[in-house]
Amino acid sequence: MGVTDVTTEPGAPWLIVGLGNPGPEYAKNRHNVGFMVADLLAGRIGGKFKRAGKAQAQVIEGRIGPPGPLNRRVILAKPMSYMNLSGGPVTGLRDFYKVPTANIVAVHDELDIDYGVLRLKLGGGDNGHNGLKSMTKAMGPEYHRVRFGIGRPPGRMQVADFVLKDFSSTERKELDYLVDRAADAVEALVIEGLERAQSTYNS
């Protein structure tokens, strides 16, 4: 399924993947903002994550959008592999649920965007993000991304140390609002399409 074919299979489900690392020690890290957005969306859908068969992931199946033609079937997922192995679980879910690659949305942290700024896109490079790198290696780059800006490390701090630290106390004051806005952006992307979602959320 090509990039221009996103709307040609109206019955095809969407796979929304929050990227992160499993385990309580990582739960509040910057690198886990994808999990945070997925957890919020789970609350909106009204389900609880459960292990997905043989796939190394937790999933919820549900629907988002108003009743009628804009209502979408979605599979919300959190890979339970570590970040750099995300491609395997995502590909397994894609194949099991028969999701076109262009109907996959990866929600992830982004170093080259200021804190809290969102950027929605289809395709492109991985910009050094190990979760995206693994996904792209497994299935190619033509999936959607909701990029949540975390900014660059201060001073000489290494990138790996920065992304695996919790958000700062200053950042946490706005975090709930920003995660909520990112969840809104995911819903808008799935329901309204990329261009309309970009016009609203790409600030």
Side-chain angles (χ1 to χ4, degrees):
M1 186 174 190
V3 179
T4 58
D5 299 326
V6 176
T7 60
T8 61
E9 293 185 37
W14 284 76
L15 174 59
I16 302 167
V17 182
L19 293 179
N21 285 306
E25 67 271 33
Y26 299 106
K28 296 180 180 179
N29 289 179
R30 293 182 177 93
H31 220 21
N32 269 45
V33 74
F35 273 18
M36 297 174 195
V37 175
D39 287 337
L40 183 58
L41 286 166
R44 294 183 182 183
I45 290 172
K48 291 186 177 180
F49 281 104
K50 60 183 180 181
R51 192 68 111 179
K54 294 181 179 179
Q56 206 175 355
Q58 293 183 349
V59 302
I60 295 172
E61 296 181 57
R63 304 192 75 90
I64 62 173
L70 295 180
N71 192 259
R72 307 284 188 237
R73 180 184 170 216
V74 299
I75 298 96
L76 184 61
K78 296 193 296 185
M80 290 290 107
S81 61
Y82 285 97
M83 180 73 85
N84 62 345
L85 300 173
S86 300
V90 175
T91 304
L93 294 172
R94 178 198 65 178
D95 295 345
F96 180 79
Y97 288 103
K98 297 179 172 59
V99 179
T101 300
N103 279 32
I104 296 173
V105 182
V107 187
H108 64 92
D109 58 303
E110 177 61 60
L111 285 161
D112 285 342
I113 303 175
D114 290 341
Y115 174 64
V117 174
L118 299 176
R119 290 282 188 274
L120 283 63
K121 63 183 286 192
L122 173 62
D126 57 57
N127 203 25
H129 192 287
N130 287 332
L132 297 182
K133 191 177 295 183
S134 179
M135 286 180 61
T136 296
K137 183 178 180 181
M139 62 187 185
E142 298 302 337
Y143 53 90
H144 287 87
R145 300 101 188 274
V146 173
R147 305 154 73 201
F148 185 108
I150 60 170
R152 301 295 302 184
R156 296 185 178 182
M157 182 184 290
Q158 295 295 310
V159 166
D161 294 333
F162 179 68
V163 300
L164 293 176
K165 285 189 180 297
D166 292 356
F167 286 100
S168 70
S169 57
T170 301
E171 289 169 335
R172 286 198 297 272
K173 292 176 182 176
E174 289 188 284
L175 185 59
D176 287 347
Y177 164 76
L178 295 170
V179 168
D180 191 73
R181 188 167 183 269
D184 290 346
V186 172
E187 291 187 345
L189 169 59
V190 171
I191 296 166
E192 301 173 12
L194 179 61
E195 288 187 11
R196 289 190 65 179
Q198 284 175 325
S199 69
T200 303
Y201 292 98
N202 278 20
S203 48

